[in-house]
Amino acid sequence: MLSEVMDLLVCPHCTSDLEAIGDGRVVRCERGHTFDVARQGYVSLLAGNAGKIVGDSAEMIDARSEFLESGHFDRIIAAVAAAMSAHDPATVLEVGAGTGHYLAAVLETFERMRGVGIDVSKPAARKVARAHPRLGSVVADVWQPLPVRTGSIDAVSCVFSPRNAAELRRILAPNGVLVVVTPTEHHQQELIETLGLLRVDEDKARRLGESLAGRFEQLDATRIEFTMALDHVSIASLVGMGPSARHSTDASRRTAIAALPDTAEVTASVTVGTYRALASAAL
Ligand SMILES: C[S@@+](CC[C@H](N)C(=O)[O-])C[C@H]1O[C@@H](n2cnc3c(N)ncnc32)[C@H](O)[C@@H]1O
Ligand SMILES: [Zn+2]
């Protein structure tokens, strides 16, 4: 619920404190900027660029929900929850939170922990708002200053999502941790070949390191790799939730999936990196 995390949020226009007013359907800052709380429980704290970046569509978010609920990524979800909770955070935040599945698992590890899920997609924000009672859902663009109080977050996760290292460093508390999940070049390799999906950029790991350098030090990097036995429905969800969903028509994708064996072996391969915010970093 938003009320659980209001003290962690700030106005996107003037960075002053926010409070819920009336029956909780409006959030207002000290200088009088107001933001409507959606019926589904999330608040949009976009400043200025509203609508320019929309993020994942409702279809992509539904596909992501279906796939994550099927349990095939449970090992990755558990690894993220373990990496976050190892540092005993009281406040956690995910950028590009998607459906909120990862944050919900983190919040289950410790009953006094509270969380904020940020995503620019409204269909994602609706899911995040329902994902866990101690989770607040905020629509914001990670490429803009985050509407989050400086130094207020103990652990941030970024799972297959864009990240803005300077802002993540700013919102983290001293010694706060950042957990980043990125796909390796083997992730979904069988489907990349047969369905013509977008390839993982081979330079991804180097670019991640460069973007965090000077602000974070690496504590750990764990590779998680396993094989999933997927039927056509799961493969359709996996493809539909990913970046390739934007690059092929439904019909062409359905035809290609129908030509696969009834159960296909597909590799999941990711790196879970844990980083500590450097005290000396310029904010
Ligand atoms: C690949 S999905 C990952 C979702 C979730 N972390 C998971 O793994 O299930 C990327 C997410 O980032 C969001 N996103 C993309 N661009 C964004 C931006 N500029 N600001 C905030 N969120 C963004 C998308 O809407 C989408 O939900
Ligand atoms: Zn304001």
Side-chain angles (χ1 to χ4, degrees), residues 35-84:
F35 309 89
D36 292 335
V37 176
R39 208 166 19 89
Q40 299 91 349
Y42 66 87
V43 67
S44 178
L45 297 178
L46 285 164
N49 65 339
K52 280 201 196 137
I53 301 181
V54 290
D56 284 9
S57 64
E59 291 73 27
M60 291 171 77
I61 293 295
D62 284 345
R64 184 167 290 281
S65 268
E66 273 171 35
F67 190 78
L68 293 178
E69 275 160 23
S70 73
H72 292 296
F73 270 11
D74 278 359
R75 278 178 62 187
I76 304 175
I77 295 175
V80 173
M84 297 283 278

mmCIF file of all heavy atoms in Angstrom, residues 35-84:
data_model
loop_
_atom_site.group_PDB
_atom_site.id
_atom_site.type_symbol
_atom_site.label_atom_id
_atom_site.label_comp_id
_atom_site.label_asym_id
_atom_site.label_seq_id
_atom_site.Cartn_x
_atom_site.Cartn_y
_atom_site.Cartn_z
ATOM 1 N N PHE A 35 -1.066 14.954 -7.040
ATOM 2 C CA PHE A 35 -0.992 13.756 -7.891
ATOM 3 C C PHE A 35 -2.145 12.843 -7.511
ATOM 4 O O PHE A 35 -2.340 12.553 -6.317
ATOM 5 C CB PHE A 35 0.347 13.024 -7.667
ATOM 6 C CG PHE A 35 1.528 13.937 -7.778
ATOM 7 C CD1 PHE A 35 1.998 14.617 -6.656
ATOM 8 C CD2 PHE A 35 2.121 14.171 -9.005
ATOM 9 C CE1 PHE A 35 3.058 15.499 -6.758
ATOM 10 C CE2 PHE A 35 3.183 15.056 -9.113
ATOM 11 C CZ PHE A 35 3.657 15.718 -7.990
ATOM 12 N N ASP A 36 -2.873 12.375 -8.512
ATOM 13 C CA ASP A 36 -4.002 11.474 -8.231
ATOM 14 C C ASP A 36 -3.509 10.071 -7.951
ATOM 15 O O ASP A 36 -2.602 9.585 -8.623
ATOM 16 C CB ASP A 36 -4.949 11.420 -9.438
ATOM 17 C CG ASP A 36 -5.656 12.746 -9.624
ATOM 18 O OD1 ASP A 36 -5.797 13.484 -8.626
ATOM 19 O OD2 ASP A 36 -6.033 13.046 -10.781
ATOM 20 N N VAL A 37 -4.123 9.435 -6.979
ATOM 21 C CA VAL A 37 -3.864 8.012 -6.738
ATOM 22 C C VAL A 37 -4.886 7.246 -7.572
ATOM 23 O O VAL A 37 -6.093 7.489 -7.469
ATOM 24 C CB VAL A 37 -4.000 7.663 -5.244
ATOM 25 C CG1 VAL A 37 -3.829 6.164 -5.015
ATOM 26 C CG2 VAL A 37 -2.979 8.455 -4.424
ATOM 27 N N ALA A 38 -4.398 6.353 -8.428
ATOM 28 C CA ALA A 38 -5.301 5.599 -9.298
ATOM 29 C C ALA A 38 -6.192 4.683 -8.463
ATOM 30 O O ALA A 38 -5.823 4.275 -7.362
ATOM 31 C CB ALA A 38 -4.488 4.764 -10.291
ATOM 32 N N ARG A 39 -7.356 4.361 -9.028
ATOM 33 C CA ARG A 39 -8.297 3.453 -8.364
ATOM 34 C C ARG A 39 -7.600 2.156 -7.947
ATOM 35 O O ARG A 39 -7.881 1.567 -6.930
ATOM 36 C CB ARG A 39 -9.403 3.137 -9.384
ATOM 37 C CG ARG A 39 -10.719 2.804 -8.837
ATOM 38 C CD ARG A 39 -11.807 2.858 -9.931
ATOM 39 N NE ARG A 39 -11.344 2.782 -11.297
ATOM 40 C CZ ARG A 39 -11.170 1.648 -11.986
ATOM 41 N NH1 ARG A 39 -11.410 0.490 -11.427
ATOM 42 N NH2 ARG A 39 -10.756 1.674 -13.246
ATOM 43 N N GLN A 40 -6.632 1.730 -8.786
ATOM 44 C CA GLN A 40 -5.944 0.450 -8.502
ATOM 45 C C GLN A 40 -4.835 0.595 -7.468
ATOM 46 O O GLN A 40 -4.122 -0.364 -7.179
ATOM 47 C CB GLN A 40 -5.352 -0.120 -9.792
ATOM 48 C CG GLN A 40 -6.374 -0.437 -10.865
ATOM 49 C CD GLN A 40 -6.622 0.732 -11.795
ATOM 50 O OE1 GLN A 40 -6.180 1.864 -11.545
ATOM 51 N NE2 GLN A 40 -7.325 0.488 -12.876
ATOM 52 N N GLY A 41 -4.619 1.830 -6.936
ATOM 53 C CA GLY A 41 -3.728 1.965 -5.787
ATOM 54 C C GLY A 41 -2.324 2.464 -6.052
ATOM 55 O O GLY A 41 -1.525 2.558 -5.130
ATOM 56 N N TYR A 42 -1.991 2.803 -7.308
ATOM 57 C CA TYR A 42 -0.649 3.336 -7.581
ATOM 58 C C TYR A 42 -0.724 4.849 -7.784
ATOM 59 O O TYR A 42 -1.792 5.400 -8.053
ATOM 60 C CB TYR A 42 -0.025 2.672 -8.816
ATOM 61 C CG TYR A 42 -0.739 2.978 -10.117
ATOM 62 C CD1 TYR A 42 -0.428 4.112 -10.866
ATOM 63 C CD2 TYR A 42 -1.747 2.138 -10.593
ATOM 64 C CE1 TYR A 42 -1.094 4.400 -12.052
ATOM 65 C CE2 TYR A 42 -2.420 2.413 -11.766
ATOM 66 C CZ TYR A 42 -2.088 3.550 -12.493
ATOM 67 O OH TYR A 42 -2.759 3.840 -13.649
ATOM 68 N N VAL A 43 0.421 5.524 -7.616
ATOM 69 C CA VAL A 43 0.446 6.958 -7.892
ATOM 70 C C VAL A 43 1.451 7.226 -9.003
ATOM 71 O O VAL A 43 2.518 6.614 -9.054
ATOM 72 C CB VAL A 43 0.784 7.788 -6.612
ATOM 73 C CG1 VAL A 43 2.215 7.544 -6.134
ATOM 74 C CG2 VAL A 43 0.569 9.273 -6.849
ATOM 75 N N SER A 44 1.067 8.128 -9.897
ATOM 76 C CA SER A 44 1.978 8.493 -10.980
ATOM 77 C C SER A 44 2.743 9.746 -10.566
ATOM 78 O O SER A 44 2.148 10.798 -10.348
ATOM 79 C CB SER A 44 1.159 8.741 -12.254
ATOM 80 O OG SER A 44 2.032 9.129 -13.270
ATOM 81 N N LEU A 45 4.082 9.604 -10.423
ATOM 82 C CA LEU A 45 4.924 10.741 -10.030
ATOM 83 C C LEU A 45 5.867 11.093 -11.168
ATOM 84 O O LEU A 45 7.074 11.220 -11.002
ATOM 85 C CB LEU A 45 5.703 10.412 -8.747
ATOM 86 C CG LEU A 45 4.865 10.145 -7.495
ATOM 87 C CD1 LEU A 45 5.757 9.783 -6.299
ATOM 88 C CD2 LEU A 45 3.992 11.362 -7.134
ATOM 89 N N LEU A 46 5.285 11.228 -12.358
ATOM 90 C CA LEU A 46 6.079 11.620 -13.524
ATOM 91 C C LEU A 46 6.169 13.140 -13.544
ATOM 92 O O LEU A 46 5.194 13.821 -13.270
ATOM 93 C CB LEU A 46 5.389 11.156 -14.808
ATOM 94 C CG LEU A 46 5.474 9.670 -15.132
ATOM 95 C CD1 LEU A 46 4.437 9.309 -16.195
ATOM 96 C CD2 LEU A 46 6.873 9.307 -15.624
ATOM 97 N N ALA A 47 7.358 13.647 -13.886
ATOM 98 C CA ALA A 47 7.498 15.103 -13.973
ATOM 99 C C ALA A 47 7.765 15.495 -15.420
ATOM 100 O O ALA A 47 8.769 15.093 -15.980
ATOM 101 C CB ALA A 47 8.654 15.575 -13.101
ATOM 102 N N GLY A 48 6.859 16.199 -15.990
ATOM 103 C CA GLY A 48 7.149 16.830 -17.283
ATOM 104 C C GLY A 48 7.066 15.955 -18.513
ATOM 105 O O GLY A 48 6.543 16.374 -19.529
ATOM 106 N N ASN A 49 7.563 14.718 -18.444
ATOM 107 C CA ASN A 49 7.658 13.925 -19.670
ATOM 108 C C ASN A 49 6.530 12.904 -19.771
ATOM 109 O O ASN A 49 6.665 11.903 -20.466
ATOM 110 C CB ASN A 49 8.999 13.194 -19.725
ATOM 111 C CG ASN A 49 9.107 12.171 -18.619
ATOM 112 O OD1 ASN A 49 8.399 12.275 -17.632
ATOM 113 N ND2 ASN A 49 9.968 11.183 -18.801
ATOM 114 N N ALA A 50 5.440 13.121 -19.046
ATOM 115 C CA ALA A 50 4.358 12.131 -18.987
ATOM 116 C C ALA A 50 3.989 11.630 -20.378
ATOM 117 O O ALA A 50 3.758 12.416 -21.291
ATOM 118 C CB ALA A 50 3.147 12.745 -18.307
ATOM 119 N N GLY A 51 3.947 10.319 -20.518
ATOM 120 C CA GLY A 51 3.466 9.738 -21.772
ATOM 121 C C GLY A 51 4.535 9.473 -22.808
ATOM 122 O O GLY A 51 4.324 8.713 -23.747
ATOM 123 N N LYS A 52 5.718 10.063 -22.682
ATOM 124 C CA LYS A 52 6.740 9.874 -23.729
ATOM 125 C C LYS A 52 7.283 8.457 -23.715
ATOM 126 O O LYS A 52 7.523 7.865 -24.747
ATOM 127 C CB LYS A 52 7.887 10.859 -23.526
ATOM 128 C CG LYS A 52 7.554 12.230 -24.063
ATOM 129 C CD LYS A 52 8.823 13.026 -24.329
ATOM 130 C CE LYS A 52 8.468 14.500 -24.487
ATOM 131 N NZ LYS A 52 9.395 15.363 -23.786
ATOM 132 N N ILE A 53 7.537 7.916 -22.527
ATOM 133 C CA ILE A 53 7.987 6.529 -22.424
ATOM 134 C C ILE A 53 6.863 5.755 -21.763
ATOM 135 O O ILE A 53 6.408 6.121 -20.682
ATOM 136 C CB ILE A 53 9.269 6.419 -21.565
ATOM 137 C CG1 ILE A 53 10.368 7.260 -22.192
ATOM 138 C CG2 ILE A 53 9.707 4.973 -21.417
ATOM 139 C CD1 ILE A 53 11.688 7.223 -21.441
ATOM 140 N N VAL A 54 6.384 4.698 -22.419
ATOM 141 C CA VAL A 54 5.225 4.002 -21.849
ATOM 142 C C VAL A 54 5.606 2.683 -21.198
ATOM 143 O O VAL A 54 4.846 2.136 -20.405
ATOM 144 C CB VAL A 54 4.117 3.758 -22.900
ATOM 145 C CG1 VAL A 54 3.466 5.062 -23.282
ATOM 146 C CG2 VAL A 54 4.653 3.020 -24.103
ATOM 147 N N GLY A 55 6.782 2.135 -21.514
ATOM 148 C CA GLY A 55 7.188 0.862 -20.921
ATOM 149 C C GLY A 55 6.408 -0.302 -21.500
ATOM 150 O O GLY A 55 5.838 -0.202 -22.598
ATOM 151 N N ASP A 56 6.321 -1.395 -20.740
ATOM 152 C CA ASP A 56 5.702 -2.612 -21.259
ATOM 153 C C ASP A 56 4.185 -2.464 -21.359
ATOM 154 O O ASP A 56 3.540 -1.856 -20.497
ATOM 155 C CB ASP A 56 6.046 -3.798 -20.340
ATOM 156 C CG ASP A 56 7.481 -4.283 -20.557
ATOM 157 O OD1 ASP A 56 8.248 -3.605 -21.280
ATOM 158 O OD2 ASP A 56 7.829 -5.340 -19.997
ATOM 159 N N SER A 57 3.625 -3.066 -22.418
ATOM 160 C CA SER A 57 2.177 -3.005 -22.659
ATOM 161 C C SER A 57 1.441 -3.952 -21.708
ATOM 162 O O SER A 57 2.058 -4.820 -21.068
ATOM 163 C CB SER A 57 1.890 -3.434 -24.099
ATOM 164 O OG SER A 57 2.276 -4.798 -24.247
ATOM 165 N N ALA A 58 0.118 -3.817 -21.662
ATOM 166 C CA ALA A 58 -0.702 -4.713 -20.829
ATOM 167 C C ALA A 58 -0.487 -6.170 -21.245
ATOM 168 O O ALA A 58 -0.415 -7.064 -20.395
ATOM 169 C CB ALA A 58 -2.172 -4.329 -20.955
ATOM 170 N N GLU A 59 -0.358 -6.416 -22.574
ATOM 171 C CA GLU A 59 -0.170 -7.804 -23.045
ATOM 172 C C GLU A 59 1.165 -8.356 -22.540
ATOM 173 O O GLU A 59 1.261 -9.510 -22.132
ATOM 174 C CB GLU A 59 -0.186 -7.866 -24.585
ATOM 175 C CG GLU A 59 -1.531 -7.578 -25.226
ATOM 176 C CD GLU A 59 -1.906 -6.108 -25.148
ATOM 177 O OE1 GLU A 59 -1.001 -5.244 -25.080
ATOM 178 O OE2 GLU A 59 -3.131 -5.809 -25.138
ATOM 179 N N MET A 60 2.211 -7.524 -22.593
ATOM 180 C CA MET A 60 3.530 -7.988 -22.121
ATOM 181 C C MET A 60 3.504 -8.272 -20.617
ATOM 182 O O MET A 60 4.084 -9.250 -20.142
ATOM 183 C CB MET A 60 4.618 -6.945 -22.442
ATOM 184 C CG MET A 60 4.909 -6.820 -23.928
ATOM 185 S SD MET A 60 5.977 -5.411 -24.268
ATOM 186 C CE MET A 60 7.561 -6.051 -23.773
ATOM 187 N N ILE A 61 2.826 -7.406 -19.879
ATOM 188 C CA ILE A 61 2.776 -7.596 -18.420
ATOM 189 C C ILE A 61 1.950 -8.840 -18.075
ATOM 190 O O ILE A 61 2.312 -9.608 -17.182
ATOM 191 C CB ILE A 61 2.217 -6.326 -17.737
ATOM 192 C CG1 ILE A 61 3.211 -5.159 -17.916
ATOM 193 C CG2 ILE A 61 1.923 -6.553 -16.264
ATOM 194 C CD1 ILE A 61 4.557 -5.337 -17.226
ATOM 195 N N ASP A 62 0.855 -9.078 -18.824
ATOM 196 C CA ASP A 62 0.065 -10.306 -18.581
ATOM 197 C C ASP A 62 0.902 -11.545 -18.887
ATOM 198 O O ASP A 62 0.868 -12.532 -18.149
ATOM 199 C CB ASP A 62 -1.205 -10.313 -19.438
ATOM 200 C CG ASP A 62 -2.257 -9.372 -18.877
ATOM 201 O OD1 ASP A 62 -2.109 -8.954 -17.704
ATOM 202 O OD2 ASP A 62 -3.207 -9.040 -19.604
ATOM 203 N N ALA A 63 1.673 -11.484 -19.987
ATOM 204 C CA ALA A 63 2.532 -12.629 -20.337
ATOM 205 C C ALA A 63 3.576 -12.856 -19.241
ATOM 206 O O ALA A 63 3.859 -13.992 -18.841
ATOM 207 C CB ALA A 63 3.229 -12.370 -21.687
ATOM 208 N N ARG A 64 4.122 -11.768 -18.705
ATOM 209 C CA ARG A 64 5.139 -11.871 -17.632
ATOM 210 C C ARG A 64 4.528 -12.502 -16.381
ATOM 211 O O ARG A 64 5.118 -13.372 -15.757
ATOM 212 C CB ARG A 64 5.693 -10.465 -17.343
ATOM 213 C CG ARG A 64 6.826 -10.427 -16.326
ATOM 214 C CD ARG A 64 7.516 -9.074 -16.332
ATOM 215 N NE ARG A 64 8.276 -8.852 -17.553
ATOM 216 C CZ ARG A 64 9.475 -9.370 -17.792
ATOM 217 N NH1 ARG A 64 10.077 -10.104 -16.898
ATOM 218 N NH2 ARG A 64 10.085 -9.146 -18.942
ATOM 219 N N SER A 65 3.306 -12.055 -16.021
ATOM 220 C CA SER A 65 2.621 -12.646 -14.860
ATOM 221 C C SER A 65 2.443 -14.142 -15.050
ATOM 222 O O SER A 65 2.744 -14.934 -14.153
ATOM 223 C CB SER A 65 1.210 -12.062 -14.724
ATOM 224 O OG SER A 65 1.205 -10.985 -13.904
ATOM 225 N N GLU A 66 1.930 -14.522 -16.224
ATOM 226 C CA GLU A 66 1.669 -15.951 -16.479
ATOM 227 C C GLU A 66 2.956 -16.744 -16.352
ATOM 228 O O GLU A 66 3.001 -17.794 -15.710
ATOM 229 C CB GLU A 66 1.118 -16.143 -17.896
ATOM 230 C CG GLU A 66 -0.381 -16.000 -17.972
ATOM 231 C CD GLU A 66 -0.839 -15.984 -19.421
ATOM 232 O OE1 GLU A 66 -0.222 -16.692 -20.253
ATOM 233 O OE2 GLU A 66 -1.791 -15.249 -19.700
ATOM 234 N N PHE A 67 4.030 -16.213 -16.967
ATOM 235 C CA PHE A 67 5.287 -16.966 -16.955
ATOM 236 C C PHE A 67 5.864 -17.066 -15.541
ATOM 237 O O PHE A 67 6.265 -18.138 -15.097
ATOM 238 C CB PHE A 67 6.313 -16.347 -17.913
ATOM 239 C CG PHE A 67 7.502 -17.242 -18.087
ATOM 240 C CD1 PHE A 67 7.435 -18.347 -18.916
ATOM 241 C CD2 PHE A 67 8.666 -17.027 -17.367
ATOM 242 C CE1 PHE A 67 8.513 -19.230 -19.037
ATOM 243 C CE2 PHE A 67 9.742 -17.896 -17.476
ATOM 244 C CZ PHE A 67 9.670 -18.998 -18.325
ATOM 245 N N LEU A 68 5.879 -15.959 -14.811
ATOM 246 C CA LEU A 68 6.476 -15.993 -13.465
ATOM 247 C C LEU A 68 5.640 -16.864 -12.529
ATOM 248 O O LEU A 68 6.176 -17.560 -11.671
ATOM 249 C CB LEU A 68 6.629 -14.572 -12.913
ATOM 250 C CG LEU A 68 7.657 -13.723 -13.677
ATOM 251 C CD1 LEU A 68 7.718 -12.312 -13.109
ATOM 252 C CD2 LEU A 68 9.036 -14.351 -13.649
ATOM 253 N N GLU A 69 4.309 -16.854 -12.727
ATOM 254 C CA GLU A 69 3.472 -17.708 -11.871
ATOM 255 C C GLU A 69 3.651 -19.188 -12.188
ATOM 256 O O GLU A 69 3.393 -20.050 -11.348
ATOM 257 C CB GLU A 69 2.005 -17.294 -11.984
ATOM 258 C CG GLU A 69 1.717 -16.142 -11.028
ATOM 259 C CD GLU A 69 0.490 -15.344 -11.380
ATOM 260 O OE1 GLU A 69 -0.398 -15.876 -12.086
ATOM 261 O OE2 GLU A 69 0.424 -14.179 -10.953
ATOM 262 N N SER A 70 4.132 -19.500 -13.378
ATOM 263 C CA SER A 70 4.337 -20.915 -13.736
ATOM 264 C C SER A 70 5.512 -21.519 -12.958
ATOM 265 O O SER A 70 5.685 -22.734 -12.940
ATOM 266 C CB SER A 70 4.587 -21.054 -15.236
ATOM 267 O OG SER A 70 5.895 -20.576 -15.533
ATOM 268 N N GLY A 71 6.345 -20.672 -12.346
ATOM 269 C CA GLY A 71 7.417 -21.178 -11.476
ATOM 270 C C GLY A 71 8.750 -21.431 -12.158
ATOM 271 O O GLY A 71 9.732 -21.759 -11.490
ATOM 272 N N HIS A 72 8.811 -21.263 -13.489
ATOM 273 C CA HIS A 72 10.062 -21.593 -14.181
ATOM 274 C C HIS A 72 11.241 -20.707 -13.756
ATOM 275 O O HIS A 72 12.387 -21.105 -13.867
ATOM 276 C CB HIS A 72 9.880 -21.504 -15.699
ATOM 277 C CG HIS A 72 8.970 -22.557 -16.234
ATOM 278 N ND1 HIS A 72 9.261 -23.893 -16.174
ATOM 279 C CD2 HIS A 72 7.742 -22.465 -16.814
ATOM 280 C CE1 HIS A 72 8.274 -24.592 -16.715
ATOM 281 N NE2 HIS A 72 7.332 -23.752 -17.100
ATOM 282 N N PHE A 73 10.954 -19.490 -13.322
ATOM 283 C CA PHE A 73 12.038 -18.577 -12.899
ATOM 284 C C PHE A 73 12.187 -18.537 -11.374
ATOM 285 O O PHE A 73 12.855 -17.646 -10.845
ATOM 286 C CB PHE A 73 11.764 -17.155 -13.403
ATOM 287 C CG PHE A 73 12.327 -16.847 -14.772
ATOM 288 C CD1 PHE A 73 12.831 -17.844 -15.593
ATOM 289 C CD2 PHE A 73 12.343 -15.540 -15.254
ATOM 290 C CE1 PHE A 73 13.327 -17.556 -16.865
ATOM 291 C CE2 PHE A 73 12.849 -15.234 -16.511
ATOM 292 C CZ PHE A 73 13.335 -16.248 -17.322
ATOM 293 N N ASP A 74 11.584 -19.496 -10.658
ATOM 294 C CA ASP A 74 11.615 -19.421 -9.193
ATOM 295 C C ASP A 74 13.038 -19.376 -8.631
ATOM 296 O O ASP A 74 13.294 -18.714 -7.620
ATOM 297 C CB ASP A 74 10.859 -20.605 -8.564
ATOM 298 C CG ASP A 74 9.355 -20.348 -8.526
ATOM 299 O OD1 ASP A 74 8.939 -19.261 -8.977
ATOM 300 O OD2 ASP A 74 8.610 -21.234 -8.061
ATOM 301 N N ARG A 75 13.958 -20.067 -9.302
ATOM 302 C CA ARG A 75 15.346 -20.049 -8.789
ATOM 303 C C ARG A 75 15.945 -18.653 -8.899
ATOM 304 O O ARG A 75 16.746 -18.234 -8.058
ATOM 305 C CB ARG A 75 16.201 -21.055 -9.560
ATOM 306 C CG ARG A 75 16.013 -22.462 -9.021
ATOM 307 C CD ARG A 75 16.814 -23.462 -9.803
ATOM 308 N NE ARG A 75 18.256 -23.229 -9.752
ATOM 309 C CZ ARG A 75 19.134 -23.916 -10.476
ATOM 310 N NH1 ARG A 75 18.735 -24.873 -11.289
ATOM 311 N NH2 ARG A 75 20.421 -23.665 -10.386
ATOM 312 N N ILE A 76 15.586 -17.942 -9.943
ATOM 313 C CA ILE A 76 16.124 -16.575 -10.109
ATOM 314 C C ILE A 76 15.470 -15.652 -9.071
ATOM 315 O O ILE A 76 16.145 -14.853 -8.409
ATOM 316 C CB ILE A 76 15.886 -16.059 -11.548
ATOM 317 C CG1 ILE A 76 16.494 -17.036 -12.562
ATOM 318 C CG2 ILE A 76 16.470 -14.650 -11.720
ATOM 319 C CD1 ILE A 76 16.213 -16.679 -14.022
ATOM 320 N N ILE A 77 14.156 -15.810 -8.898
ATOM 321 C CA ILE A 77 13.441 -14.984 -7.914
ATOM 322 C C ILE A 77 14.026 -15.225 -6.511
ATOM 323 O O ILE A 77 14.290 -14.286 -5.758
ATOM 324 C CB ILE A 77 11.922 -15.298 -7.940
ATOM 325 C CG1 ILE A 77 11.327 -14.880 -9.285
ATOM 326 C CG2 ILE A 77 11.197 -14.602 -6.790
ATOM 327 C CD1 ILE A 77 9.859 -15.239 -9.474
ATOM 328 N N ALA A 78 14.271 -16.498 -6.184
ATOM 329 C CA ALA A 78 14.813 -16.836 -4.852
ATOM 330 C C ALA A 78 16.222 -16.264 -4.689
ATOM 331 O O ALA A 78 16.592 -15.796 -3.597
ATOM 332 C CB ALA A 78 14.826 -18.352 -4.668
ATOM 333 N N ALA A 79 17.020 -16.279 -5.751
ATOM 334 C CA ALA A 79 18.387 -15.754 -5.664
ATOM 335 C C ALA A 79 18.369 -14.242 -5.410
ATOM 336 O O ALA A 79 19.172 -13.720 -4.635
ATOM 337 C CB ALA A 79 19.157 -16.074 -6.948
ATOM 338 N N VAL A 80 17.439 -13.550 -6.054
ATOM 339 C CA VAL A 80 17.338 -12.096 -5.846
ATOM 340 C C VAL A 80 16.883 -11.818 -4.412
ATOM 341 O O VAL A 80 17.460 -10.967 -3.712
ATOM 342 C CB VAL A 80 16.352 -11.458 -6.853
ATOM 343 C CG1 VAL A 80 16.118 -9.986 -6.527
ATOM 344 C CG2 VAL A 80 16.895 -11.603 -8.266
ATOM 345 N N ALA A 81 15.882 -12.563 -3.949
ATOM 346 C CA ALA A 81 15.388 -12.360 -2.575
ATOM 347 C C ALA A 81 16.513 -12.616 -1.575
ATOM 348 O O ALA A 81 16.686 -11.865 -0.608
ATOM 349 C CB ALA A 81 14.192 -13.271 -2.301
ATOM 350 N N ALA A 82 17.309 -13.667 -1.821
ATOM 351 C CA ALA A 82 18.405 -13.991 -0.895
ATOM 352 C C ALA A 82 19.476 -12.897 -0.930
ATOM 353 O O ALA A 82 19.977 -12.471 0.123
ATOM 354 C CB ALA A 82 19.013 -15.341 -1.256
ATOM 355 N N ALA A 83 19.817 -12.415 -2.130
ATOM 356 C CA ALA A 83 20.862 -11.391 -2.247
ATOM 357 C C ALA A 83 20.423 -10.094 -1.568
ATOM 358 O O ALA A 83 21.221 -9.415 -0.904
ATOM 359 C CB ALA A 83 21.180 -11.131 -3.721
ATOM 360 N N MET A 84 19.141 -9.754 -1.699
ATOM 361 C CA MET A 84 18.633 -8.523 -1.069
ATOM 362 C C MET A 84 18.562 -8.694 0.446
ATOM 363 O O MET A 84 19.018 -7.841 1.206
ATOM 364 C CB MET A 84 17.223 -8.216 -1.593
ATOM 365 C CG MET A 84 17.139 -7.934 -3.072
ATOM 366 S SD MET A 84 17.698 -6.285 -3.525
ATOM 367 C CE MET A 84 16.238 -5.313 -3.175
#
